[in-house]
Amino acid sequence: MSYDLHCHSNASDGTLSPAELVERALKRGVTHLALTDHDCVGGIDEALKAAEGRMHIIPGCEMSTTWNNRQIHVAALFINHKSQVITDFVAAQNVRRTERAIAIGEKLEKAGFKDAYARTKAQAGAGAVITRGNYARFIFSEGRAQSIDDAFNTYLKSGKRAYVSTVWISIEEATDIIHKAGGLAVLAHPRRYPLTNTKLRQLLTDFKDAGGDGLEVASCQQRPCDRQFLAQLCQKYGFLASVGSDFHNEAIRFRDLGLHLELPPEVTPVWRTEQGQRFDFT
Ligand code: AMP
Ligand code: MN
Ligand code: MN
Ligand code: MN
């Protein structure tokens, strides 16, 4: 079995269509793939159809939340993506996302980019949710940044000229929606937030209190000591453990579907639960 429970298609800021993502995951030996596009579930039906009889698709969504004025990502896994709560969530986030994307576009226009919003939308999948990741690709393709990272550092990061802050839903609201949709709430990439260990522990305490179920313990390009540290935190706080590449495109060689996502033996994987059993090979 090879699980990868965090990746993106062109329904948000990935470059592959859901069907192309499925083919890549199959070639790489993934048996269980969760599609977790940002604040939407628009790619899941296509992924389910493409994977039918060949690989398990776990319906998911990476939810943008705000905790103490910081942007925190909560991965919803094993959800009923057609449930009313998810439909309502996607509609509400879409309003925030669209307002923000338009505001970022306006700031980029002032920096000399013509039709930034319309052209960024045109580069994404039809009806895609637009994130800063999409804008970074647009800025790079315009030759106005050396790399995607440079586009963030020059324009898109907090404090830079095209940054727009948004208040997303709270972590409590996210876990509540996820549970109502029958899923598990997992804190995505806990080591990627600019938090001290003390602040990270505060986040984990609050996430646990909010009903959070798990932590993403294994990711690609991770130092072994970080994976071990996250596994310890799972045990300490009573969280399940998840795995995810956070694959977006082929550009980063060491971030690929199913790559290097082994869990330390002491943790309980998110798939060893009632929710996970529904996607087991039996
Ligand atoms: P947003 O949710 O609109 O704020 O955009 C967040 C997305 O931007 C993330 O999911 C990543 O795909 C991407 N991202 C954020 N920071 C960076 C960075 N430094 N380099 C490359 N991509 C980034
Ligand atoms: Mn992204
Ligand atoms: Mn994320
Ligand atoms: Mn992600």
Side-chain angles (χ1 to χ4, degrees), residues 29-43:
V30 173
T31 57
H32 295 70
L33 182 73
L35 179 57
T36 55
D37 275 309
H38 295 282
D39 301 308
C40 75
V41 290

Side-chain angles (χ1 to χ4, degrees), residues 2 20 47 70 73 91 118 129 158 169-170 186 189 193 198-199 201 211 226 234 247-248 260 265:
S2 167
E20 288 167 339
R70 293 167 190 274
H73 287 171
V129 161
S158 172
I169 60 172
S170 66
V186 169
H189 42 69
Y193 307 108
T198 308
K199 283 260 161 57
R201 288 197 176 89
D226 282 328
C234 271
F247 177 83
H248 283 72
H260 187 38

Side-chain angles (χ1 to χ4, degrees), residues 8 12-14 38 62 73 131 133 246 248:
H8 299 271
S12 67
D13 58 3
H38 295 282
E62 185 171 11
H73 287 171
T131 78
D246 204 3
H248 283 72

